[in-house]
């Protein structure tokens, strides 16, 4: 399974940004997908996840009510729509795939390379 994240960039606090993760064909619909983030000097942390069918989602408290994860299995793509962005959301955002419904990084089998999101104050 290959994952390619894209869509990061620089945005002002309070702004909106959407990042995408495209999976190799036939892989996307078999896996639960997660978005994680890693800020400089900090550990990688869970942000959001979505079930293989797309019917169940889960969020970290730090992003709940601001971020929305979705997926389009026909396009093999998972999205993370981020709103009301804060400077503390600045990080590399990584998508990952897992056969286990989990928010733990070690339960994820495949990882994309990440995309940088920078929120200015």
């Amino acid at each position: 399974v290959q994952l390619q994240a894209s869509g990061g960039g620089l945005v002002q606090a309070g702004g909106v940004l959407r990042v995408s993760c495209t999976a190799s064909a036939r892989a996307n619909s078999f896996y639960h997908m997660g978005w994680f983030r890693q800020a400089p000097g900090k550990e990688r942390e869970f942000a959001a996840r979505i079930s293989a069918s797309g019917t169940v989602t889960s969020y970290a408290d730090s992003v709940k009510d601001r971020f929305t994860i979705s997926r389009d299995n026909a396009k093999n793509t998972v999205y993370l729509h981020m709103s009301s962005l804060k400077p503390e959301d600045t990080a590399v955002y990584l998508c990952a795939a897992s056969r286990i419904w989990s928010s733990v990084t070690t339960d994820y089998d495949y990882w994309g390379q990440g995309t940088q999101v920078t929120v200015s104050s």
Side-chain angles (χ1 to χ4, degrees):
V1 177
Q2 295 182 329
L3 304 174
Q4 180 74 40
S6 62
L10 174 64
V11 62
Q12 289 188 333
V16 174
L17 194 65
R18 188 181 77 169
V19 292
S20 303
C21 175
T22 300
S24 53
R26 301 193 303 170
N28 193 51
S29 59
F30 294 109
Y31 289 86
H32 306 306
M33 299 295 294
W35 281 100
F36 293 78
R37 63 186 186 180
Q38 188 164 18
K42 294 188 177 181
E43 291 188 354
R44 188 169 297 182
E45 65 175 11
F46 165 75
R49 54 180 167 151
I50 188 166
S51 63
S53 64
T55 57
V56 182
T57 59
S58 172
Y59 299 91
D61 288 343
S62 58
V63 307
K64 194 174 296 183
D65 299 326
R66 298 188 299 120
F67 290 11
T68 302
I69 189 171
S70 62
R71 68 191 297 164
D72 184 340
N73 285 344
K75 296 182 179 180
N76 298 318
T77 302
V78 178
Y79 305 97
L80 186 67
H81 182 88
M82 303 178 287
S83 62
S84 302
L85 281 161
K86 306 174 182 179
E88 51 263 43
D89 294 319
T90 295
V92 174
Y93 283 71
L94 305 104
C95 59
S98 175
R99 291 192 178 273
I100 301 172
W101 181 242
S102 171
S103 60
V104 178
T105 56
T106 52
D107 286 334
Y108 282 74
D109 305 302
Y110 302 99
W111 292 83
Q113 86 291 356
T115 185
Q116 177 70 46
V117 172
T118 302
V119 184
S120 63
S121 57

